[in-house]
Amino acid sequence: MNSLSGKNVTRVCLKLPPKVQSQGLWKRFSSFNYNWLEFSLPRFELTIALIFIITQSLHSILKRFGFPLFTSQLLAGLLLSPAILSQQIMDKMMTEETY
C-alpha cells in the first residue's frame, strides 16, 4: 500500500476483458493446450455441480439416520472448504478474486 497525502491507496491489476465463457469442450479435443478451467463460467458451473452432488450424496446417507437436509448442506460446505481440500484443488475450483 502506498501512502498518498495521508490516505492509503491500493493498486489492483485486472485482466480485461475477463474470460467468462469458454469456447466449449469441442475446442479441447482439437487443441491439446486449451484449458477450459481458465474461464470463470465453466469453473462456476463445476463448483455448483460439485456442491449439488456432494450435498445430495450426503443427504441420501444421512436421511436414514434422521438428519435434515440442512445438515448435509453444512457438511458439504465443510468438505469443500479450504480447511479440508488441498490448495491445488482449491486453485482449480476458485479464482484468485473469490478468496
Side-chain angles (χ1 to χ4, degrees):
M1 289 225 246
N2 298 331
S3 182
L4 184 67
S5 68
K7 296 181 181 178
N8 289 333
V9 176
T10 304
R11 294 183 183 195
V12 178
C13 183
L14 295 173
K15 186 190 282 186
L16 293 175
K19 293 181 176 181
V20 177
Q21 294 178 331
S22 70
Q23 297 175 0
L25 290 176
W26 294 113
K27 177 75 173 175
R28 178 175 173 94
F29 297 123
S30 63
S31 173
F32 291 108
N33 59 357
Y34 176 72
N35 186 9
W36 58 274
L37 285 176
E38 291 177 356
F39 299 90
S40 60
L41 185 61
R43 191 180 291 202
F44 174 71
E45 290 172 342
L46 175 66
T47 304
I48 295 297
L50 280 175
I51 291 169
F52 178 76
I53 290 168
I54 292 174
T55 300
Q56 293 302 315
S57 299
L58 286 172
H59 184 61
S60 67
I61 295 169
L62 293 178
K63 71 179 176 182
R64 296 180 183 143
F65 300 109
F67 288 101
L69 177 63
F70 182 71
T71 306
S72 304
Q73 292 169 344
L74 283 175
L75 289 175
L78 180 67
L79 288 174
L80 291 172
S81 70
I84 303 295
L85 291 179
S86 68
Q87 189 62 37
Q88 292 174 339
I89 296 173
M90 289 301 296
D91 288 341
K92 287 183 180 180
M93 287 178 48
M94 306 288 181
T95 60
E96 292 177 1
E97 293 88 21
T98 56
Y99 60 108

